[in-house]
Amino acid sequence: MRAFLLLFCSFFVFFSFAQKERINSTLDSIILYREYSKNSNLTFKQRILYANRAITLSSSYSEDSTLIKSYKALSSIYLNQLNTSKLKSVNFKIVDLANKAKDTAALANANYILGYTYDVESKPDSAYFYYSRAVKQYDVIGDKKDYINVLSNMSDIQYYERDYVGAEINIIRALKILETLPETEDNIIVKWERYNVLGIISGELKNFDKALEYYNLTKKTVKNYSQAYYYNVFSNNNIGSIYRRKGDYKKAIEIFNEILEDKTLLDNDSLSYAAVKANLAYSKYLNKDFETQEVNSLFKESIKISKALDDEISIMGTSAYYSEFLSEIGEKDSAKKYVDLAYKIAKNTKSNSFVFRTLKTKSQLEKDSSNIFLGEYIKLSDSLVTAERSRRNKFARIDYETDVIIQEKEAISKQNLWLIIISIGLLFSILLLYIIKTQREKNKELQLAKQQQEANEEIYNLMLSQQEKMDEARAVEKKRISQEMHDGILGRLFGTRLSLDSLNMDNSQEAIISRENYIKDLMEIEKDIRKISHDLNTDFISNTRFPDLVSTLVETQCLAYKLDYNISIDNDIKWEDLVNKTKIHIYRIIQESLQNIYKHAQAKIINVKIHQQENLISLLIIDDGVGYDKSKQKDGIGLKNIKSRVEAIGGKLNIKTKINIGTTIFIELPINNEPN
């Protein structure tokens, strides 16, 4: 039994190590694809392709958080495209995964995006429902910034739907959190917007003093902001409008004139300039103490600028006010023209307050049709009152239903907890047996692969050893021949030369000439034999086999991978100074590098250079692939193997890489190193 447990534990440790290596490699690929999906230099189609590759790999990964991040990468692309149908599809999947993983942050983000998507599609009920979920989740995780953003969006929906009380509550909730945050430019603008909406709501509820209080707070908020000029013009215009609606026309006229004292306003903010002009004209008209030509001129200038800027809202408001003025001074035809224009825009933009205003003016201008306009006015008024009554509780009901859904899900989760525990207990035994069986098969495959690699290395080592023996035998044989030539042939020739030299005693002219010629010939033969002897005695070893092996490896691999390549190996490298183990490691490093380039780099051309400088051999492998970020990406199995081999032979490794430029592997190896 103990032996079985020991065997099981050993197997489990080995299995865990193998699994970890495989998982790290997969995770590296997932992270790389996600990075590509964020590259704004690529087309949307390419980015979507990379994001989907990350999702596919993440689906086989054991962690839901990894799959969620990959889906979020795809969601980000669709958000940039504002593709609402795809956005909803992806984020519904994220909601399911986040619920399963109990990832509140991912859940909040997905609900936020779903709310925004429905908001863009002008579906306020659905938008508010998902915003309501998101704001509760952001509150739980303490994400104050997104909590404020979601509350702001919820209050905007409530304002446009005329749920003023609900809008005020959510704005005040947002402002309370804003007060605790640093006074950054973004926070200043959000605070200004919330106070501005509170001012508008107070004005709609005819609480004019409260509206003035909020608009003054907007000015105070942007006091230290670099763009305060534009926001103050807007706030002052709103303040003047509130005084006009209060009936304090003189104060309103005073404020509008103060705004127009800025002679740069027309150039800096033409739309605000047109709005102030229209408000000034309307205030003068309501004050009843006006010059017709002056008011008429102010209205015309405002309409001219609004039309030039093609701003429908500005055209609508100015035309509605202008038509009332024209009706008052008796220019009925012109009044009818402008009121019809304002009415048309108000209907198209669903600006109900201006629909009311223009219907009233139309009923006064067109007496024959006044009953029709009055009937439409009453019908619209009744429908708005009914809708408002419905809306007052609608968003509160959505909040309540959201809480109920959450509570029901928690109850179901508790009920299912015991069932899950029991199921896990039953499945664990089956799973354990399956894992043991599966891993045995994988273990066999790994062992076979390991044995194959060891066999390859052994064969290569034997091949190099055989080459050394052959070179050694060849050197011995050459030395033997050299000695034989020196001691045999050369000795006999030398004796002959001495014999001929002794004939010098014959002093005849012919003998002298003949002997000199023989001696010269023998001396030439002696020189030739000495030269041959010297060449044969040199310990010449070509050492061309290892460079040929490297060249064949690079050529074979690159042809298989369909890559262009250049290879450069110094002819002067003394390969005999390197032990076989070092040569094997060099060979395997090149092989591993080529495989890594093929799998990950997406390169087109590879350069392999081997050079010798003094007592160092340098190996340089360069590709023009996609590169990677060394600070964010962990080393894969291939790179770890390369580092291990370099360390084993006492070398130095340096890797330089840049995104979309390529990778350079530089290795320096000492020549006279001993095998480890």
Side-chain angles (χ1 to χ4, degrees):
M1 183 64 182
R2 290 182 180 177
F4 171 76
L5 288 174
L6 182 61
L7 180 63
F8 174 78
C9 290
S10 300
F11 169 75
F12 184 77
V13 170
F14 178 80
F15 159 68
S16 299
F17 178 77
Q19 283 289 93
K20 186 177 180 181
E21 292 295 325
R22 184 181 63 80
I23 287 169
N24 286 341
S25 178
T26 303
L27 185 58
D28 289 345
S29 299
I30 292 169
I31 292 170
L32 190 63
Y33 284 135
R34 280 198 214 127
E35 290 300 317
Y36 288 154
S37 73
K38 296 174 186 176
N39 189 343
S40 57
N41 294 323
L42 300 176
T43 65
F44 277 117
K45 187 175 180 181
Q46 289 172 320
R47 292 172 64 188
I48 289 168
L49 177 65
Y50 284 124
N52 279 319
R53 285 181 181 175
I55 289 169
T56 301
L57 283 177
S58 300
S59 298
S60 63
Y61 200 68
S62 58
E63 294 184 13
D64 289 330
S65 60
T66 301
L67 185 56
I68 289 170
K69 288 177 182 177
S70 296
Y71 270 117
K72 285 175 75 174
L74 183 60
S75 173
S76 178
I77 300 168
Y78 288 136
L79 188 61
N80 288 334
Q81 286 182 307
L82 208 57
N83 188 330
T84 56
S85 62
K86 295 288 188 182
L87 260 179
K88 286 189 287 188
S89 174
V90 171
N91 281 281
F92 279 133
K93 290 177 182 176
I94 294 174
V95 166
D96 291 339
L97 289 166
N99 275 321
K100 180 183 174 184
K102 298 188 183 303
D103 188 341
T104 308
L107 199 57
N109 181 258
N111 282 320
Y112 187 1
I113 293 174
L114 285 170
Y116 173 75
T117 304
Y118 282 112
D119 212 348
V120 170
E121 292 179 342
S122 299
K123 296 176 180 177
D125 290 1
S126 297
Y128 191 90
F129 175 79
Y130 287 104
Y131 281 148
S132 181
R133 283 184 166 186
V135 80
K136 291 178 176 65
Q137 289 149 358
Y138 282 129
D139 190 24
V140 169
I141 63 177
D143 187 339
K144 293 182 178 181
K145 185 174 181 180
D146 284 321
Y147 176 81
I148 291 166
N149 290 337
V150 177
L151 276 177
S152 299
N153 290 351
M154 291 168 68
S155 62
D156 285 342
I157 291 173
Q158 289 170 303
Y159 162 67
Y160 287 118
E161 293 291 300
R162 301 175 70 84
D163 176 14
Y164 297 138
V165 174
E168 276 188 316
I169 291 170
N170 280 329
I171 291 172
I172 290 168
R173 286 170 66 192
L175 286 169
K176 282 182 179 178
I177 302 300
L178 266 170
E179 292 297 333
T180 67
L181 298 180
E183 199 172 82
T184 62
E185 290 193 352
D186 287 343
N187 290 339
I188 287 171
I189 298 308
V190 173
K191 192 183 292 187
W192 183 93
E193 289 172 349
R194 292 309 96 199
Y195 279 132
N196 187 64
V197 176
L198 284 174
I200 295 170
I201 289 172
S202 298
E204 291 293 322
L205 296 173
K206 293 185 170 48
N207 190 347
F208 298 125
D209 290 337
K210 197 67 178 175
L212 288 172
E213 182 182 329
Y214 284 130
Y215 285 134
N216 282 317
L217 280 172
T218 62
K219 294 171 66 177
K220 183 180 177 182
T221 299
V222 297
K223 184 179 179 181
N224 298 319
Y225 182 46
S226 59
Q227 302 295 320
Y229 170 83
Y230 300 98
Y231 290 94
N232 282 329
V233 168
F234 197 89
S235 296
N236 286 328
N237 187 43
N238 286 339
I239 290 169
S241 298
I242 291 296
Y243 277 112
R244 188 197 71 222
R245 292 172 68 187
K246 282 182 67 175
D248 191 347
Y249 304 125
K250 288 184 178 179
K251 182 64 175 177
I253 291 168
E254 179 186 335
I255 290 171
F256 293 133
N257 279 325
E258 284 178 1
I259 298 171
L260 291 171
E261 285 178 3
D262 179 5
K263 302 303 179 184
T264 65
L265 180 60
L266 177 60
D267 294 328
N268 292 334
D269 192 350
S270 302
L271 194 59
S272 293
Y273 178 84
V276 174
K277 283 277 186 177
N279 279 322
L280 176 61
Y282 193 52
S283 299
K284 284 178 176 288
Y285 153 64
L286 292 175
N287 196 39
K288 301 303 180 185
D289 182 18
F290 62 85
E291 294 181 7
T292 302
Q293 186 175 356
E294 179 191 8
V295 174
N296 196 49
S297 175
L298 288 169
F299 273 126
K300 282 187 174 180
E301 184 179 4
S302 177
I303 287 176
K304 181 180 178 182
I305 294 170
S306 299
K307 287 183 175 179
L309 296 172
D310 196 25
D311 189 282
E312 282 193 331
I313 302 302
S314 181
I315 295 168
M316 174 189 70
T318 306
S319 297
Y321 295 154
Y322 193 25
S323 64
E324 292 179 32
F325 167 73
L326 291 170
S327 176
E328 177 70 20
I329 64 175
E331 295 186 16
K332 304 295 182 182
D333 291 340
S334 295
K336 187 176 182 304
K337 169 188 169 185
Y338 283 105
V339 77
D340 286 343
L341 174 61
Y343 175 75
K344 181 181 178 182
I345 296 173
K347 290 282 282 184
N348 289 339
T349 58
K350 297 180 181 180
S351 302
N352 292 323
S353 60
F354 276 94
V355 172
F356 281 134
R357 182 181 291 276
T358 52
L359 280 173
K360 184 178 178 181
T361 306
K362 284 168 74 69
S363 67
Q364 293 170 351
L365 288 170
E366 302 177 44
K367 299 295 184 182
D368 295 340
S369 304
S370 60
N371 290 334
I372 297 173
F373 296 136
L374 183 60
E376 186 178 348
Y377 181 94
I378 293 169
K379 182 179 178 182
L380 179 61
S381 179
D382 289 343
S383 67
L384 288 175
V385 169
T386 302
E388 275 190 50
R389 287 174 181 169
S390 173
R391 287 169 185 145
R392 282 172 191 169
N393 296 320
K394 177 175 65 174
F395 296 113
R397 189 167 61 252
I398 289 172
D399 285 331
Y400 171 74
E401 288 172 354
T402 303
D403 289 336
V404 169
I405 289 170
I406 293 170
Q407 290 171 4
E408 287 177 352
K409 291 178 83 172
E410 288 176 354
I412 291 169
S413 296
K414 288 178 181 178
Q415 291 172 4
N416 290 335
L417 182 60
W418 285 107
L419 180 61
I420 291 169
I421 292 170
I422 294 169
S423 299
I424 289 172
L426 293 172
L427 289 172
F428 182 75
S429 300
I430 299 170
L431 183 61
L432 186 61
L433 291 172
Y434 172 76
I435 289 172
I436 291 172
K437 182 181 177 182
T438 304
Q439 292 310 313
R440 278 180 180 172
E441 297 298 325
K442 289 184 178 179
N443 191 30
K444 287 179 182 178
E445 292 177 4
L446 288 170
Q447 287 177 342
L448 286 172
K450 184 180 179 181
Q451 289 170 1
Q452 182 64 41
Q453 183 166 340
E454 288 174 352
N456 288 342
E457 290 185 2
E458 187 176 350
I459 291 168
Y460 181 66
N461 199 13
L462 288 172
M463 179 184 68
L464 290 176
S465 298
Q466 185 65 26
Q467 178 66 28
E468 284 184 355
K469 290 178 181 179
M470 290 173 64
D471 290 341
E472 186 178 335
R474 190 158 53 248
V476 170
E477 182 64 16
K478 286 191 291 182
K479 189 174 182 180
R480 185 188 65 79
I481 294 170
S482 173
Q483 288 175 345
E484 185 175 324
M485 289 183 66
H486 184 275
D487 297 340
I489 298 172
L490 190 60
R492 290 197 301 274
L493 288 175
F494 181 70
T496 303
R497 182 174 65 81
L498 289 176
S499 297
L500 288 173
D501 192 42
S502 65
L503 294 177
N504 280 334
M505 299 301 295
D506 186 351
N507 293 325
S508 65
Q509 189 64 31
E510 283 186 13
I512 291 170
I513 293 171
S514 180
R515 281 195 297 271
E516 286 179 354
N517 287 335
Y518 281 127
I519 291 169
K520 286 180 181 179
D521 288 342
L522 288 172
M523 289 176 71
E524 288 299 322
I525 292 170
E526 182 182 346
K527 287 180 181 179
D528 290 342
I529 291 171
R530 286 185 183 276
K531 184 176 182 301
I532 293 170
S533 176
H534 179 269
D535 290 343
L536 286 172
N537 197 41
T538 302
D539 187 13
F540 174 74
I541 300 175
S542 64
N543 285 300
T544 58
R545 186 163 181 75
F546 184 73
D548 289 344
L549 283 172
V550 172
S551 297
T552 302
L553 170 66
V554 174
E555 181 180 354
T556 305
Q557 295 282 66
C558 289
L559 287 175
Y561 299 153
K562 297 181 179 178
L563 296 170
D564 291 333
Y565 68 93
N566 292 312
I567 182 165
S568 172
I569 303 176
D570 275 358
N571 293 326
D572 298 332
I573 296 176
K574 297 179 180 179
W575 293 108
E576 66 273 14
D577 291 341
L578 280 151
V579 295
N580 288 346
K581 187 169 183 178
T582 300
K583 295 175 185 176
I584 292 169
H585 281 303
I586 292 172
Y587 186 89
R588 291 302 182 194
I589 287 167
I590 296 171
Q591 187 180 51
E592 191 77 56
S593 298
L594 293 175
Q595 289 176 357
N596 276 357
I597 292 167
Y598 170 68
K599 289 179 181 177
H600 307 296
Q602 301 179 26
K604 294 181 180 177
I605 188 167
I606 299 171
N607 291 296
V608 179
K609 299 179 181 180
I610 305 177
H611 300 289
Q612 181 175 340
Q613 294 179 345
E614 297 180 355
N615 64 335
L616 291 175
I617 287 180
S618 62
L619 169 61
L620 200 64
I621 303 171
I622 306 169
D623 70 73
D624 64 346
V626 297
Y628 64 96
D629 190 337
K630 290 172 68 177
S631 63
K632 296 181 179 179
Q633 190 164 323
K634 296 180 180 178
D635 292 346
I637 297 173
L639 194 54
K640 287 178 180 177
N641 287 342
I642 291 172
K643 287 184 176 180
S644 176
R645 290 183 181 277
V646 173
E647 289 175 3
I649 53 180
K652 293 181 180 179
L653 171 65
N654 185 20
I655 299 175
K656 295 182 180 179
T657 180
K658 287 186 179 180
I659 300 295
N660 297 326
I661 292 179
T663 301
T664 298
I665 297 175
F666 179 69
I667 299 170
E668 284 187 338
L669 306 171
I671 292 177
N672 294 313
N673 61 321
E674 293 296 328
N676 293 326

